[in-house]
Amino acid sequence: MFKKFFYKFEQLIVWAQSKLTNKQFIFLSSVLVGISAALAVIILKTFAHWVLHLPHESIKF
């Protein structure tokens, strides 16, 4: 499943490189990296809050 996804992703990158100038491709790549980094931060922050609040919510006196 992942091999197929990465193969399609690689084809998309090769296609984008052939259609865009180097400057446009670098700009597009940086935007995609920024978006993926933001999503990773959101996931990590959510996980950290979940871990922080888990002991407080599971122990009831």
Side-chain angles (χ1 to χ4, degrees):
M1 182 173 147
F2 286 114
K3 284 185 179 182
K4 187 177 180 181
F5 173 75
F6 285 122
Y7 179 72
K8 291 288 184 180
F9 188 68
E10 187 178 355
Q11 284 181 332
L12 179 66
I13 290 173
V14 170
W15 177 82
Q17 266 185 324
S18 68
K19 298 295 180 184
L20 301 174
T21 65
N22 284 343
K23 191 172 184 179
Q24 291 172 332
F25 181 74
I26 295 295
F27 181 76
L28 178 64
S29 298
S30 62
V31 168
L32 293 176
V33 166
I35 290 171
S36 63
L39 290 175
V41 167
I42 291 169
I43 291 170
L44 286 172
K45 182 179 176 185
T46 303
F47 180 72
H49 282 281
W50 179 76
V51 168
L52 178 69
H53 293 293
L54 181 66
H56 298 295
E57 293 176 4
S58 63
I59 300 173
K60 305 221 180 203
F61 293 104

